[in-house]
Structures are given as C-alpha cells and as structure tokens.
Amino acid sequence: MTLPFPLPTYADVEAASRRLAGVANRTPVLTSTFANEATGAEIFFKAENFQRMGAFKFRGGYNAISRLGDDAKRRGVLAFSSGNHAQAIALSGRLLQVPTTILMPLDAPEMKIAATRGYGAEVVLFDRYKVNREELAAEMAAERGLSLIPPFDHPDVLAGQGTAAKELIEDTGPLDMLFVCLGGGGLVAGCALAAHELSPGIKVYGVEPEAGNDGQQSFRSGQIVKIAVPKTIADGAQTAALSPLTFALISRDIADILTVSDAELVETMRFFGARMKIVVEPTGCLAAAAVLGSKIPVRGKRVGVILSGGNVDLSTYARLVG
Ligand SMILES: *Cc1c(COP(=O)(O)O)cnc(C)c1O
C-alpha cells in the first residue's frame, strides 16, 4: 500500500510533547495492589481521565491546532464528533485563540453539546440520519476556509496522543507490555511509536469492544475491514474502520488486537470505582479490562495500561455500576 503521506515517527511525538509541556496535564500513574495480586503482574495505569477535558484527546487536538500556519489559525478549525474529540478541539482552540466549529448530531447528549459550547466553540447541529457528516464537514470546510481536524486520521493528532505513553514509560522505566484502548487507532498508533523507542522489545496491544472488532479483523486479515456502527457502551470506540494511516502503523507496530465484552467493561468500571476510587468511562476501561480479564498471560510482567478517559454522565455511570 502506498500512502499519500510519510508516516509519523517518534520525533513527532517528542515535538508534540514539547508543545504540550505546561499545557496538558502530566497525568498520574496509578497502581493497585489488588490488581497486581489478582493478575500476578506489576500494572501501571496511566490515568488520562485526569487529563484536561477528561480524556487523552486533548493531546492530539492541541498538537494539531498548534501546528497550523498563522493564516489557517486565523480562519479557524472544523471538527465533527459527538464525544471527546469535540471538547478537545473546542478547548484547544480557546487556549490557542483559534476559532472552532464543531459538527454534532442533533441527538448528541445535551451535556456534551453544552460542554463543547462552554469551551467557546460554535456548535452546528445536523441530522445524522439524513446527512452524511463527512460530506457536510468537507463542504463547510471548503466554504468557510476552515482546517478540518479529524479525531484519529491525522499524523499530528496521533503524534500528540503518543505523548501519553511517552510520559508513562518515562515515569515507570521499561515495560514488557502496553495495553491501549482502540477506536480509530490514533491513540494506540501514537503510543506504539513512543513505546518502541523508550522500551525496546515492548509488546503493544490494542483493545476494542467485542461488538466492534473491525480493528482485530483488519489486523489479522492484513486489510482494512469496515463494519456497521457497533452497538456497545464503549461510545468512544464506535468507529466503523481504521484509516490507511492508523492501519499502516498498527500493522507494523502492534503485537495483536484483543477484544472485551460490555459486561467486562462494566466489571472494570466497578473495579476502578470501588477499589481505586476513580471514574473511568466505558471506553476508557477497554485496555484495563483485557489485562484484568487475562485475555493474554501477563503473570510476572511489567504492564502499562492507558486509561483513556473519564467522561460519562453520572446517571449512566450510576446505572452501569449500580
Ligand atoms: C477516542 C477515544 C478512544 C479511541 O481512540 P482512537 O484514537 O480513536 O483509537 C478511546 N478512549 C476514549 C476515552 C476516547 O475518547
């Protein structure tokens, strides 16, 4: 496969981490004696639920907007998302004084629309059952001269996401394995660039919802497999397909892609609430669920786990863990 762009490298992750220094939170690395005893591994949780706006997506969004030229910054940025990417772009735009427009479905949760507006973005609502959002986004970007920043299919976005693994391994020292939540693959692709550089020999695993295992099918078959929008509580991983960019990096840098069920995600949310006293959203539990559920042997290993975010309505949270 020939790609119309060069693949990002660890140097891009390093450059992103310089841009994010003093802006993104250097999130804590948490441990749990209970989890270590249950698995026989030494587990290090990178708590991106404590990142600004509540998820790692701030890293990629901020890095991508920072990289725009002055003219593009003046005209502004467009993104489409009903979730964390919307808030990441809105907040990054506010911090960098770049106007942002976010396309959100009419039926997106009121709280998420309000949060995105609260960061100063112009929210444009559309009917997702009538309108193709990619086409609408491309049209609006062309009409208004805006730069479109997608949630994962972008080298600056994924280089930014990789700073999460860079910080983790800087704090823990070398690891044997790293588990990363997977939707469109920006987070795992970026984290793998950092992990292989800072911890040679490490094995990096992507973890996605059982109902939405397009990544696993793609990885194992050697070509991008597209599925219908999966039904899962992991709303941050309801992507239909990897992109050529994330697929290229994942094929090269990842050891395997594992899946977990919604029931295992709920179990893991309960573990974080009850044992570690932290709120992790369903999608943010993917990687941890694979480790705690021993999807592959981890006994005796030093294991990194990215907790990707903590944005979940309290009512949903209460219903799931109650
Ligand atoms: C977006 C998101 C993911 C998936 O990230 P990709 O880069 O699309 O693979 C995982 N967890 C949370 C909380 C997210 O918001």
Side-chain angles (χ1 to χ4, degrees):
M1 186 172 22
T2 48
L3 296 165
F5 40 76
L7 291 178
T9 66
Y10 177 65
D12 298 303
V13 179
E14 256 189 326
S17 92
R18 284 192 293 274
R19 289 181 202 107
L20 288 166
V23 184
N25 293 335
R26 189 174 180 110
T27 53
V29 177
L30 308 177
T31 58
S32 156
T33 305
F34 177 87
N36 289 348
E37 285 176 356
T39 56
E42 198 180 351
I43 305 175
F44 302 95
F45 297 102
K46 176 69 169 168
E48 284 294 294
N49 52 320
F50 294 128
Q51 188 49 263
R52 291 185 82 161
M53 54 61 56
F56 73 91
K57 284 216 172 60
F58 178 71
R59 297 174 181 271
Y62 187 91
N63 187 51
I65 298 182
S66 302
R67 291 264 294 147
L68 295 173
D70 288 344
D71 207 42
K73 279 186 177 143
R74 218 170 299 117
R75 285 196 305 267
V77 162
L78 176 73
F80 53 83
S81 164
S82 52
N84 289 330
H85 181 61
Q87 292 174 63
I89 291 296
L91 173 59
S92 301
R94 190 179 76 183
L95 294 171
L96 292 162
Q97 296 178 331
V98 171
T100 54
T101 305
I102 314 286
L103 282 176
M104 297 180 90
L106 271 168
D107 55 350
E110 192 56 45
M111 211 189 77
K112 287 193 168 160
I113 297 174
T116 307
R117 282 202 175 113
Y119 288 129
E122 182 192 342
V123 174
V124 176
L125 298 173
F126 69 99
D127 184 343
R128 67 163 130 188
Y129 302 101
K130 292 192 182 142
V131 179
N132 177 309
R133 69 173 188 178
E134 281 81 2
E135 282 170 18
L136 178 61
E139 249 169 52
M140 281 188 62
E143 250 168 44
R144 301 190 183 189
L146 305 175
S147 304
L148 179 63
I149 301 188
F152 58 85
D153 184 24
H154 192 299
D156 298 330
V157 170
L158 77 83
Q161 320 303 32
T163 60
K166 176 177 182 287
E167 290 175 6
L168 169 63
I169 297 168
E170 283 169 356
D171 286 359
T172 61
L175 298 170
D176 300 309
M177 309 164 103
L178 175 67
F179 292 79
V180 185
C181 312
L182 183 141
L187 178 61
V188 74
C191 283
L193 291 175
H196 290 299
E197 177 76 22
L198 301 174
S199 189
I202 192 171
K203 289 205 156 110
V204 181
Y205 296 87
V207 186
E208 65 185 351
E210 217 167 72
N213 73 336
D214 62 285
Q216 188 182 58
Q217 290 186 48
S218 304
F219 182 81
R220 293 182 183 178
S221 70
Q223 56 189 16
I224 297 176
V225 173
K226 190 172 178 198
I227 60 168
V229 176
K231 283 201 175 64
T232 165
I233 57 169
D235 57 343
Q238 284 178 308
T239 38
L242 304 175
S243 75
L245 171 62
T246 57
F247 179 68
L249 288 166
I250 285 171
S251 306
R252 188 190 69 187
D253 295 342
I254 300 297
D256 201 0
I257 294 179
L258 314 169
T259 65
V260 299
S261 68
D262 278 8
E264 288 169 314
L265 292 177
V266 169
E267 193 67 20
T268 305
M269 287 174 81
R270 286 205 183 101
F271 159 73
F272 283 125
R275 292 283 175 171
M276 295 184 70
K277 320 302 174 193
I278 57 173
V279 174
V280 185
E281 65 182 276
T283 317
C285 288
L286 284 165
V291 173
L292 298 173
S294 297
K295 296 290 163 172
I296 51 169
V298 294
R299 183 160 293 280
K301 306 286 190 198
R302 286 169 55 82
V303 176
V305 173
I306 308 278
L307 306 185
S308 52
N311 291 331
V312 52
D313 289 342
L314 275 187
S315 57
T316 308
Y317 182 76
R319 178 168 51 79
L320 288 173
V321 304

